[in-house]
Amino acid sequence: MGSKVKWRAKRLDPAVHHLFLVKHNPNGESKVSRGRLLWEGYLTPTPLSQTYKVRIRYRPGDTPDVQVLEPKLRTSDHENLPHIYPGDRLCLYYPGEWNGSEQIGETIIPWVAEWLYHYEIWRATGTWSGGGEHPKVKSRNKPRGRDDVASSN
């Protein structure tokens, strides 16, 4: 007969993400400026994969923007890149799934490596094996809700 209390995880400050990234991701550089985090580093999804230069930008209250800087992601003939938002930002999770209380280094970076692994398989086979849903391409910069993704069926 007690009242229901909604518990909400506290969003981590960009400086906390920065300290974790510096300690646990030696293949990158991280900085915080004006309350925003910028990480650029190198990820190699598997021992047989090429190495990718990746940029992650994060500001509290938003979701991380993730882009592959090098090499440029390529498409197959007559196909768009799968799981990409406008601005070549990677689609790593459903809107609302990442809420800022998780370490970027423990969530976003492994998810980027997994995305790159599935990208390499897609390049070789033409089939996206990573599951999930493909985002609709819209003119706005960021998806804001579940309606912003379309089933890949």
Side-chain angles (χ1 to χ4, degrees):
M1 294 186 204
S3 64
K4 289 186 178 183
V5 176
K6 284 191 176 184
W7 182 79
R8 187 173 183 169
K10 183 177 180 184
R11 291 180 189 203
L12 299 175
D13 187 88
V16 174
H17 289 291
H18 166 75
L19 292 173
F20 185 91
L21 288 166
V22 167
K23 183 176 181 181
H24 297 286
N25 295 280
N27 294 329
E29 294 184 10
S30 177
K31 68 179 180 178
V32 176
S33 177
R34 298 182 182 160
R36 297 177 184 189
L37 172 76
L38 174 66
W39 182 85
E40 288 187 5
Y42 295 89
L43 298 175
T44 308
T46 73
L48 300 176
S49 295
Q50 66 183 67
T51 298
Y52 298 86
K53 184 175 183 182
V54 174
R55 174 188 295 148
I56 299 172
R57 290 184 246 190
Y58 172 68
R59 67 180 185 157
D62 214 341
T63 57
D65 279 337
V66 181
Q67 294 176 300
V68 176
L69 302 177
E70 298 171 4
K72 182 166 175 51
L73 298 176
R74 299 179 312 191
T75 62
S76 298
D77 293 336
H78 310 295
E79 287 190 77
N80 293 324
L81 282 170
H83 292 278
I84 291 283
Y85 288 116
D88 291 335
R89 293 177 294 110
L90 303 188
C91 174
L92 302 172
Y93 49 88
Y94 295 107
E97 186 176 358
W98 191 88
N99 64 19
S101 67
E102 306 95 349
Q103 283 286 351
I104 287 173
E106 290 180 333
T107 54
I108 301 299
I109 288 181
W111 293 347
V112 172
E114 182 179 7
W115 189 99
L116 291 167
Y117 168 76
H118 291 293
Y119 165 76
E120 290 179 345
I121 293 171
W122 173 77
R123 289 280 301 143
T125 67
T127 301
W128 183 261
S129 62
E133 297 177 349
H134 297 275
K136 287 181 185 176
V137 176
K138 291 191 173 188
S139 60
R140 62 184 180 186
N141 288 339
K142 289 197 172 264
R144 294 293 178 204
R146 186 93 170 136
D147 293 338
D148 290 323
V149 291
S151 176
S152 59
N153 296 334

